Amino acid sequence: MDKWKAIFSSAGAVLVPVFDFMYGDEDAVISIMTALLFFVILDWLSGVRAAKRDNTYGSRYGLDGVARTFFILLLPAGGHLLDVVFNLPGIIFGALAIGTLYHVVQSMTANSIRAGWGDWLPLPVLNAIIEWVKSELEKKIQRAESRKGGTTE
């Protein structure tokens, strides 16, 4: 076995049981967490592009985002652990995972609009989407403006 195969095999041998313990091992759990991770990556990509577009990209804010992302990804794990403690069939996990997914998709959508990627949408669709993410979009614009002034949040 070559070095890289040993490294990845060892990582899998450690990470898969940790994932199963933290989140559960059902197909729905794996699907929800995969979707959550997918949309977190899209949120990061759209957020970086939006910040570069309005000249507010800052590595310090980005590093804080990594900590926020780990926190967000651990929320469903906490829900699963509480479900185990209270012998519930995934109710708390489901609520936290779906709520987190909703927030991440909303954030990704607001970032995409800030990045200018909504320009290809028909105006009625774009207006409906903007209305859905209005408060998130306003917060992101306000944060971006405050970072332009040299302050960080």
Side-chain angles (χ1 to χ4, degrees):
M1 182 174 347
D2 69 353
K3 179 175 110 176
W4 288 107
K5 189 183 275 186
I7 289 170
F8 283 108
S9 296
S10 298
V14 171
L15 294 177
V16 169
V18 169
F19 181 89
D20 287 349
F21 174 77
M22 295 292 289
Y23 295 98
D25 61 355
E26 297 83 20
D27 288 342
V29 168
I30 294 167
S31 298
I32 289 171
M33 292 310 298
T34 300
L36 183 57
L37 185 59
F38 176 80
F39 284 106
V40 162
I41 291 169
L42 290 180
D43 186 31
W44 276 6
L45 291 172
S46 60
V48 167
R49 181 63 195 125
K52 288 193 181 226
R53 183 174 190 220
D54 61 18
N55 294 318
T56 60
Y57 184 80
S59 59
R60 179 170 180 246
Y61 186 78
L63 289 174
D64 289 343
V66 172
R68 278 191 309 276
T69 299
F70 281 122
F71 181 84
I72 284 170
L73 292 175
L74 287 173
L75 284 172
H80 169 70
L81 295 173
L82 289 173
D83 283 334
V84 170
V85 167
F86 296 117
N87 199 27
L88 297 172
I91 294 170
I92 301 172
F93 168 82
L96 289 173
I98 298 301
T100 301
L101 183 60
Y102 179 87
H103 171 76
V104 169
V105 169
Q106 196 174 39
S107 174
M108 176 209 63
T109 305
N111 282 334
S112 298
I113 291 169
R114 278 184 52 229
W117 297 344
D119 295 345
W120 57 270
L121 292 171
L123 198 54
V125 173
L126 181 60
N127 287 337
I129 290 171
I130 288 172
E131 188 61 34
W132 176 58
V133 298
K134 186 177 182 177
S135 67
E136 184 72 19
L137 188 57
E138 288 170 353
K139 285 186 263 180
K140 287 180 181 296
I141 290 170
Q142 186 178 37
R143 266 195 312 264
E145 289 301 316
S146 73
R147 288 197 312 267
K148 277 184 184 178
T151 62
T152 59
E153 196 172 304

